[in-house]
Amino acid sequence: MEIGEEEFSIPFFKDNGFLRLRCPVCGSFYWTQNPDSRNCGDAPCQPYTFIGDPPTRARYSLDEMRDKFIGYFEAHGHTPISPYPIVARWREDVYLVGASIYNFQPYVTEGVVPPPANPLVISQPCIRLTDLDLVGPTNGRHLTIFEMGGAHAFNFPGREVYWKDETIRLHHELLTEGLGVRSEDVTYKEHFWSGGGNAGPDVEACISGLEISTLVFMKYKVEDGGLRELPIRTVDTGYGIERWTWLTQGSPSGFHPIYPEVIEEIAGEAGVKLDSRLIAESTRLSSTLNLERHEGRVEARRRLAELLNLDLRMVDEALSNMEAIYAVADHTKALAFILSEGVIPSNVEEGYLARLLARRTLRMLRRLDLGDEALLRIMELQIHRWGRTFTQLREMRSEILDALNVEAEKYRRTLKRGVEKLNRIIGQLREKGLGEMPMEVLTQLYDSHGLDPETVKELAPDIAVNPPEDFYSRIAQRHSTVKASPETVEERLKARVEGIKPTEILYYERPEIKKFKAKVLEVIDDVYVVLDRTAFYPEGGGQVADQGHLGYGDKHVRVVDVQRIGKVILHRLGDGDPSPPVGAEVVGEIDWERRLSLMRHHTATHILIGAARRLLGNHAWQAGARKEADRSRLDITHYRHLTPKEVALLEEMACNIVVQDIPVEASWMPREEAERLYGFRIYQGGAVPGKELRIIRIGEWDVEACGGTHCHSTGQVGLVKILGVEHPQDGVERLIFATGPQALRHIQEAYRILEELSGALGAPRDEMVQAVEALKEKEKALEKELSRYVKAASTRKVEELLGEAAEIDGVKLVAVDLGYIGEAEAMEISSQIARRNPYAVAILAFKEEGKGRGFGTARILVSAGEEAIRRGLNAGEVAKALAPYIRGGGGGRPYFGQAGGVDASGIPRALREAEGILREMMRG
Ligand SMILES: [Zn+2]
Ligand SMILES: [Zn+2]
């Protein structure tokens, strides 16, 4: 992106004698007060010079730096704001918060909702997985979890807070006056930033080779690849709190100031000696080399060994260990935060990202020769450390540890199965003569079988495994953005409703309206009727649409579906029903039984999610719901399968809420107020657009933003019965349930079946289980007895058949049609013949019992004795040759083969031809 020079012609630079220079190494333009400056001040153009020699007056811990940053901006008129969650439930486009500005996109930055304060300051924990592969190798420049210091000013038209000049001045003063950095050591690099759908020019502040802040002047919205100017210009600063801390400490790596205790602990457990000098030199070198490529990392280690006059193998091992320790420290903190907000490791959405981190951590631990249990100990430490500031970590401690434990267990199982799968794949590759593992196979092995490229490499030493350097970053990238937005309405209708007056909605004010009068505004394609007002609920929020009728004149037409497009509601008529003319007065009538049932089911989902949260833990979120008239389903995130006892408890809790007859209150509320009052838990059903949210509150039990129709009070729901639990995907439990009369019908049906069973068994209900057990025992005994009889009968039959066998070139051929006989018995006879006489070949045809007579299922079994095989006979080949006579297929091994076909009338011919086939085969 070409940026105009004038974007950076800022009074602060001019007034303070900054010069605009061009970096001879990277070509960037940058601002500095030092006329002798030789480069832009950022690595790799400028190597780190702060390691062991910080440019600040004092050293700060991470907590102190956060306080310093917030205190400074508060003193300069900014209101401190508490951090937002790290899981971006209010957004449709991303899963995790990757920058403080995510908190305010899109509603605040686009002017839909006012900012919580203006200007404001926040230290926001952020997670980015885009550089996952570099976390470790760059010694702390890349982290997956970090705190972004955001000082934000929102400039509305005619209401300017501050813009570029003040932003840079505030930054510079904090560095120089606040921390004592020499003014001429700071450089500001010109740049253009884009993220989260917005863009604008920015400057990157660098000291001693470290970029510590990005000051963005957000003024564009990215649209269709172009830029549109926003009415609101936003100051979006990203102060890297961890990097600022590192700068003041000059520590050997960027991880040391963040995780002093955690690094000690992991190194101690793994028996790794921490060599500060080696680490510091490696960090210095890392700033000048491109470590994104494997060659860069190899080169770094070679130079380090040379520099310190050490054995390369020793350096290699020390750095590999350090990288693993860094990654474990970083990933476990990220996991603690993600899991504390109720994300369950799984194969989809944010759960996938959690799983990616958990598995990578487990692998790093293995590299350090540490078992999975080390993960839990390290996690305890992280929860303790970060829980001081972020209390949700401590509150969710047991859920975090439990979820991780389950995930480690799942990973072990997956790996075991994956190894079997991998062996098959390796076999296939060898057969095809492929010496290299294709990328899509590697991705699939990782995604579906938990096998990372390193493990694949170990297990398949003769196959080249060459994953791209950024394998994990690519995988994370594929799963990080663009939540799926289900497109239910035909795109084409959107254009058709343009210009039509918004439909007046009757179902919110008075959900009990069954019948209403309205006027026809428009009819589209003869099937979609638009009214000026309606009480028909359109499909949305997981609730299916109302059905009913429209009456006009003497006609009565069906409404089979209702959809909402923008602010216009379309009523779809039944096939062939005549549409009313535009302008006609109609009477709408809703199928009330159906709607009542939908309201009951819908209200029950709110009751059940409240119960799940209390029973299973705060991680239990709604992962999806579908409210239908007959039965509904509710998906809940949970890392274990529900036990029958838990299901019964959920039902009891729901029943308790029902009998308390708590009012279900609906109210419209500004988004920011709803978030402030109830927190982000209101987004159970996913992100909801708009300035005002419709909040549904069931006393203290549950509060959600929801656009559906509900009962007036919980008592109207009646009975809530969970009919079954399914597992649509890992980490999600699906409750199938029914309410009110529907629930009663299911229970009545279950009782009816019980009664019938009880009658058939001749046992009272409470003795039925024992009665069935007894039956099963009896059946087992009978089966045993039967098999003894079959054996005895078969033995007689075998004698008889061998006695009648024909002699063909030294082998004994038994070719016979056994008629209707069970498969087990036929098998027994066939194998006995070959065992009793090694020269025998048994060709036994039979028709399967109960599978149609005459032109029915025909089977041929072929067994060959050892000597017969030695003479060139192959039972599988014989079966294959005979199969066409019974119009089927066949095959097998030399000692046994079988054929099956649909034409039993071909059996005699097949048996006649057998002799010829045998002779042919023995001649070779
Ligand atoms: Zn440069
Ligand atoms: Zn609802």
Side-chain angles (χ1 to χ4, degrees), residues 714-733:
T714 57
Q716 293 179 332
V717 174
L719 191 54
V720 178
K721 173 70 192 148
I722 296 172
L723 306 173
V725 182
E726 296 173 357
H727 314 292
Q729 70 197 40
D730 206 9
V732 173
E733 297 292 285

Side-chain angles (χ1 to χ4, degrees), residues 280-289 291 300-301 303-304 307:
E281 282 307 335
S282 140
T283 303
R284 271 191 209 108
L285 261 176
S286 78
S287 67
T288 62
L289 295 168
L291 299 172
R301 292 178 181 191
R303 298 237 306 251
L304 192 60
L307 190 74

Side-chain angles (χ1 to χ4, degrees), residues 849-869:
E849 299 264 18
K851 295 212 176 165
R853 312 260 148 162
F855 192 81
T857 315
R859 301 273 304 275
I860 297 175
L861 304 182
V862 184
S863 290
E866 241 168 82
E867 286 301 322
I869 294 171

Side-chain angles (χ1 to χ4, degrees), residues 84 101 103-118 120 154 156 218 232 234 671-672 675:
Y84 278 49
I101 195 68
N103 301 345
F104 312 110
Q105 287 169 315
Y107 303 113
V108 175
T109 53
E110 287 181 14
V112 176
V113 161
N118 197 9
L120 62 83
F154 304 92
F156 294 87
M218 208 174 93
I232 302 166
T234 303
R671 171 185 294 276
E672 65 278 14
E675 288 179 358

Side-chain angles (χ1 to χ4, degrees), residues 6 40 68 163 288 376 523 725 748 766 828 868 921:
E6 70 289 346
C40 64
K68 175 96 183 166
W163 192 230
T288 62
L376 298 185
V523 178
V725 182
Q748 286 171 335
D766 55 346
E828 181 63 37
M921 208 173 269

